[in-house]
Amino acid sequence: MTTQARRQRPVSPPPTEAQVLASKAATLDAARRNIFAPVGAGQYEFTHQAIEALPQGTNNTLDKVLLQAPGVTQDTAERDKLHIRNEHANPQLRINGVQLPDGVGAFGQILDTGIVGSLSLITGALPAQYGLRVSGVLDIQTRADAFNNSGSVSLYGGSHGTITPSFEYGGTVGQTQYFLSGRYLQNNLGIENPTPAREAIHDHTSQEKGFLYLSTVFDPTSRLTFMSGVSNTAYQIPNNPGQPSSFTAFGVSNFDTSTLNERQYESSQFNVLAYQKSMGDIDYQLSYFNRYSQLHFRPDLIGDLVINGVASDIYRQSYTNGIQEDTAWRIGYAHTLRFGFSMSAERSLVTNISTVLGLADPTDPTAGTTDTPRTIFDSSPKTGWLLGTYVQDEWKITNQLTLNAGLRFDQMFQYVDANQFSPRVSLTWKPFEGTTFHAGYARNFTPPPQVLAAPTNLALVQGTSQQPLVSQNDPVLPERSNVFDVGVVQKMLGVPGLEVGADAYYKAARNMIDDGQFGAAYVLTAFNFDRGKNVGIELKSSYTNGNFRAYGNFAWSRQLATGVVSNQFLFDPATLAFIDSHDTFTDHTQLYTASGGVSYLWDGTRLSASMIFGSGLRAGFANIDHVPSYTQVNTGISRDFALQGDPSKPTTLRFDIVNLFDKIYEIRDGTGIGVFAPQFGPRRGFYVGVSQKL
């Protein structure tokens, strides 16, 4: 008689407390994504792994990552370094669903890419839950893989005197997950070089950033999350040698512009406390947020007076407190009702202490000046309020067709009081497996950033070198626009891993907001065009096959505007008359934009390359010209080594080249509406780094 031994399955060890907590957190993350689902809008997503695969990896700033998305155009530091679909700025930054309020900084970016679990750029006809800043939503979800009691320390640096140490560490204690990161950066290319030289003159920067994440799960249906970030930065303003001296001040009539000593200091911090709860078919999140930011531009008194006829010491400060609530209620299978509100109060202070020269003939601003410096003080404190509420219904008409319709209401109490009801509607159709069409319409209401809309007291500068040729000075108004968007995304089932997409949009605006640098200080001032229109087409593609990934994007777009209806004194009469009678390109319009990249991981070694192309931003009188086109290529290589004998804690070495072919190109040439100085893209740079997993 033959017997057969019964095989016993190995007993799996019970999950650890940290694993159980991670499972609860993942469930709550999914519920939060349902609350803020961008139904009917276009999305382009970067995962943490995709950011690491770029040349420079997580040493990239957020703007450099976003330049790899379709329709994102490179610009200079004081203009937030990028434009989304040719908009003047106007992006909305959200972290775990909470909208962060505007700051006042011109150059610094408060968030570091190391905290990003995923970054989605949401564009198009946005659903009703997204208000105010609507050129694009930068939706950051913090990392969910960072709570296993581990971290890393890194040192990265190279050309232009770059040194940037950083660290991150995350873990789990009881029912609490935590993550902490910090970075210090110094280099000699803090702002774009105004000359084509390899190294800028007087362009040193030092920057510190920190981020803290704490999340406590009370039960499988609720948690409390706290997030805090801080950024402190100092910049030298780069010099452009050989500029002419136009005035006499303190007996000086000739100043060497290579010795100017202008500086700018910025600091910003934010805090978010969010409570999330799921109750059957209802998910909601209630958040409190605050943000403090300040900017201080310090001039070179004699140099600025001799060169520009004014030396402006500019200080801007903003402190915002607010609450936000968002709810998603699943009503049966077919409907998900989403509703919520936000309310914030901002206390801003804008001061300008300017040393100016007297006019030789106070009745004639063109008659020249005398060497009689005097100081004027202009201050504008303001407490402003923004209120918003929305309701929308996601209706699954069939398994293939979804209608999302909503209405939002926004109210502003700032330098101008105004409000608007804004309908939003979109259709999403999935006729076949792997095919998704979307089409939508959105009515938008966009208040100007309060610090950029602060009024200027023109009476203070009468009879001085700053007396404008145009005296009209109407207040900055909110922008009202209609946006239409249609697009398709297709997964090529015959080629697994290949996805292509196309999107087209049209926007018509009244009181279209724009801004510019109207003087030597590296700060922006807002104004309104009477009418504006924005039209564009975007194409995107990506291919993933195992450890190989490639992507490519192309965009054509054009933004035109007519008439100036606020802060008219910023313009000279000829430019103002031209804009009033012509469709005028906005200064941030770039007709053609492209990006692409490739990466491959082989046996612990990653090779990568990325590219950006631009046909050139506008230039010349009233933006009738543009700077030449350019292409910048970056490359990188990195490899993991198990130097400690533990493959789970590798040492990573990397080497990157920025602007591989050393292309010399201008981002701005110093001409155009609201453009003060030329600014060049970075010259070729070599960078090395080492990172140790803890």
Side-chain angles (χ1 to χ4, degrees), residues 11 14 58 132 211 215 235 438 638 683:
V11 178
T58 54
L132 305 181
F211 179 77
S215 179
Y235 298 90
H438 72 265
S638 64
R683 295 290 300 272

Side-chain angles (χ1 to χ4, degrees), residues 324-476:
Q324 176 184 327
E325 196 280 335
D326 300 273
T327 298
W329 179 16
R330 294 175 296 278
I331 305 174
Y333 168 78
H335 293 272
T336 299
L337 190 67
R338 295 183 175 89
F339 53 90
F341 71 91
S342 62
M343 178 176 64
S344 64
E346 178 182 7
R347 180 63 178 175
S348 64
L349 174 64
V350 177
T351 64
N352 186 346
I353 305 173
S354 293
T355 303
V356 296
L357 301 172
L359 290 179
D361 181 357
T363 65
D364 183 6
T366 65
T369 61
T370 62
D371 188 355
T372 54
R374 72 186 194 192
T375 300
I376 58 176
F377 177 78
D378 191 1
S379 178
S380 181
K382 183 66 177 179
T383 298
W385 294 81
L386 292 175
L387 311 172
T389 185
Y390 70 91
V391 61
Q392 65 186 43
D393 179 29
E394 180 188 349
W395 177 20
K396 292 185 178 179
I397 301 173
T398 68
N399 288 334
Q400 291 77 36
L401 186 63
T402 300
L403 172 68
N404 192 56
L407 179 70
R408 71 172 292 119
F409 173 77
D410 293 293
Q411 172 74 57
M412 61 176 285
F413 299 102
Q414 295 182 340
Y415 291 103
V416 171
D417 298 342
N419 58 57
Q420 180 176 287
F421 285 97
S422 303
R424 312 277 180 88
V425 62
S426 67
L427 275 172
T428 304
W429 182 38
K430 300 180 179 180
F432 315 108
E433 182 182 358
T435 303
T436 303
F437 289 95
H438 72 265
Y441 161 77
R443 175 73 170 161
N444 295 326
F445 176 81
T446 303
Q450 186 165 294
V451 293
L452 301 190
T456 299
N457 187 350
L458 296 185
L460 297 175
V461 297
Q462 296 303 306
T464 75
S465 53
Q466 290 303 290
Q467 179 175 323
L469 299 177
V470 175
S471 60
Q472 196 170 357
N473 187 20
D474 291 319
V476 183

Side-chain angles (χ1 to χ4, degrees), residues 480-546:
R480 305 173 190 268
S481 63
N482 297 290
V483 174
F484 302 87
D485 184 274
V486 60
V488 60
V489 175
Q490 176 67 58
K491 294 182 178 180
M492 310 301 290
L493 302 182
V495 184
L498 177 61
E499 181 178 283
V500 297
D503 203 282
Y505 60 89
Y506 176 80
K507 169 187 171 182
R510 291 299 307 270
N511 302 324
M512 189 172 75
I513 298 173
D514 205 335
D515 53 37
Q517 181 190 348
F518 294 93
Y522 272 59
V523 295
L524 300 178
T525 302
F527 64 93
N528 296 100
F529 289 108
D530 180 31
R531 297 177 182 270
K533 53 187 177 183
N534 194 20
V535 60
I537 299 172
E538 297 170 352
L539 305 176
K540 62 181 180 180
S541 63
S542 65
Y543 175 68
T544 303
N545 185 354

Side-chain angles (χ1 to χ4, degrees), residues 594-667:
S595 61
V598 61
S599 66
Y600 181 60
L601 179 63
W602 175 73
D603 193 26
T605 299
R606 186 186 304 277
L607 303 171
S608 62
S610 66
M611 177 275 295
I612 57 172
F613 165 82
S615 61
L617 296 172
R618 307 309 299 183
F621 170 76
N623 297 336
I624 61 177
D625 200 356
H626 66 84
V627 298
S629 63
Y630 65 89
T631 302
Q632 179 181 315
V633 176
N634 305 329
T635 62
I637 181 172
S638 64
R639 180 170 176 80
D640 292 342
F641 298 90
L643 299 182
Q644 298 180 346
D646 184 353
S648 67
K649 296 183 178 181
T651 301
T652 303
L653 300 180
R654 67 177 310 119
F655 174 67
D656 301 298
I657 305 176
V658 172
N659 196 353
L660 174 66
F661 301 109
D662 200 22
K663 171 69 174 179
I664 299 175
Y665 67 93
E666 284 184 307
I667 303 173

Side-chain angles (χ1 to χ4, degrees), residues 46 51 54-57 59-69 72 74-77 80-82 109 113 119 189 192 551 595 610-612 630 632 634 658 665 667 680-682:
F46 300 89
I51 295 173
L54 290 171
Q56 298 192 285
N59 297 290
N60 278 295
T61 53
L62 282 176
D63 64 284
K64 299 302 183 187
V65 174
L66 287 167
L67 288 178
Q68 300 301 313
V72 180
Q74 180 180 213
D75 205 341
T76 54
D80 296 322
K81 298 189 178 182
L82 54 81
Q109 299 183 44
T113 52
L119 168 62
L189 194 59
E192 290 81 13
Y551 63 91
S595 61
S610 66
M611 177 275 295
I612 57 172
Y630 65 89
Q632 179 181 315
N634 305 329
V658 172
Y665 67 93
I667 303 173
F680 285 77

